[in-house]
Structure formats: C-alpha cells, structure tokens
Amino acid sequence: MSASDKPRRVHFQSPEYLVERLDAIADLFDKDRTDVLVEAIREYIEETADSETFQELVATKYYDDQLGFETVKQLVGAETAQRLRLLKADLEDEPFDLAAPTDVDIYGDDATTVDTADGDER
C-alpha cells in the first residue's frame, strides 16, 4: 500500500435521507457504506476532472497564478499539468517584435485557377 492509498478518516454531515439511501444501496450490493462512498467519490472526481469546463477553470486559475503546479497536477494529472506548464511559460514569454503584414499580392501574375468536377472555379 503506497502512502497515497493509506486510509484517512474523514468526518462530515449529510442529510439523513442520503445516508438512508446510501445504506440501502450498500445493503443491496452487500458492501460497506464506506466502500460505496469511496467508489462514488472516485467516480465523481474522475468525471469532473475529465470535463472540459473543469480543465478550462484549472488552466485559467493556473495561468492567473491562483493555483500552484502541484495542485494542478493533482487536479488534472501529470501529463495535462506539464502541458499547461509549457503553455504558461510560452504565454509569459515576450512576444516577437514583428512588423505588421503588408498587403502584398504574394501570387502576382502567377495565380492559376482550377476547374472542379462541378464546373465551379476555385
């Protein structure tokens, strides 16, 4: 058992009707209440972490320095966190000092048209 798998006691209050339903579900599946709760929490976290809205929120807060890298890694996983770290570093770089584009006809007189099967020119 790794340190992250070590059980940790958590105490919280819940409406009585939820506890009663939880106990009924646990009895139905011949499981312990804690096992059902842990499974439900795990599924909720995985579903939430996979949502685009959640990942956008994490990215926004990370880019705004409201979340640290280690927290981001816990929330979205190491691979996505590393990608966000690289993107953040890229965003923080100074922009290239490029001149504005000019309206130059890059094709000049060498532009060609192609007849398509339906007769439209493109």
Side-chain angles (χ1 to χ4, degrees):
M1 179 182 287
S2 72
S4 63
D5 291 338
K6 182 179 175 185
R8 181 174 177 182
R9 180 170 298 278
V10 177
H11 176 80
F12 64 93
Q13 293 183 345
S14 173
E16 190 172 335
Y17 78 94
L18 286 178
V19 175
E20 289 170 358
R21 290 185 73 189
L22 175 65
D23 288 342
I25 291 170
D27 288 343
L28 181 67
F29 289 105
D30 197 29
K31 291 185 174 184
D32 184 74
R33 176 194 298 165
T34 300
D35 294 336
V36 176
L37 275 173
V38 169
E39 184 177 331
I41 292 169
R42 183 180 297 117
E43 288 177 13
Y44 174 81
I45 290 171
E46 288 173 5
E47 182 179 310
T48 300
D50 286 343
S51 83
E52 188 174 324
T53 303
F54 178 79
Q55 293 201 10
E56 287 173 2
L57 178 62
V58 171
T60 299
K61 289 191 177 281
Y62 179 59
Y63 295 151
D64 290 343
D65 294 323
Q66 295 176 10
L67 289 176
F69 179 74
E70 290 301 317
T71 301
V72 171
K73 197 162 69 171
Q74 286 181 325
L75 293 171
V76 295
E79 185 176 334
T80 300
Q82 185 61 27
R83 182 175 46 83
L84 292 175
R85 177 190 276 181
L86 293 172
L87 289 171
K88 181 178 181 182
D90 192 36
L91 289 170
E92 290 173 347
D93 280 345
E94 291 295 319
F96 292 118
D97 188 20
L98 301 175
T102 58
D103 287 336
V104 175
D105 184 5
I106 61 171
Y107 294 107
D109 293 330
D110 295 334
T112 59
T113 59
V114 176
D115 289 331
T116 60
D118 60 8
D120 290 340
E121 281 192 10
R122 295 192 189 222

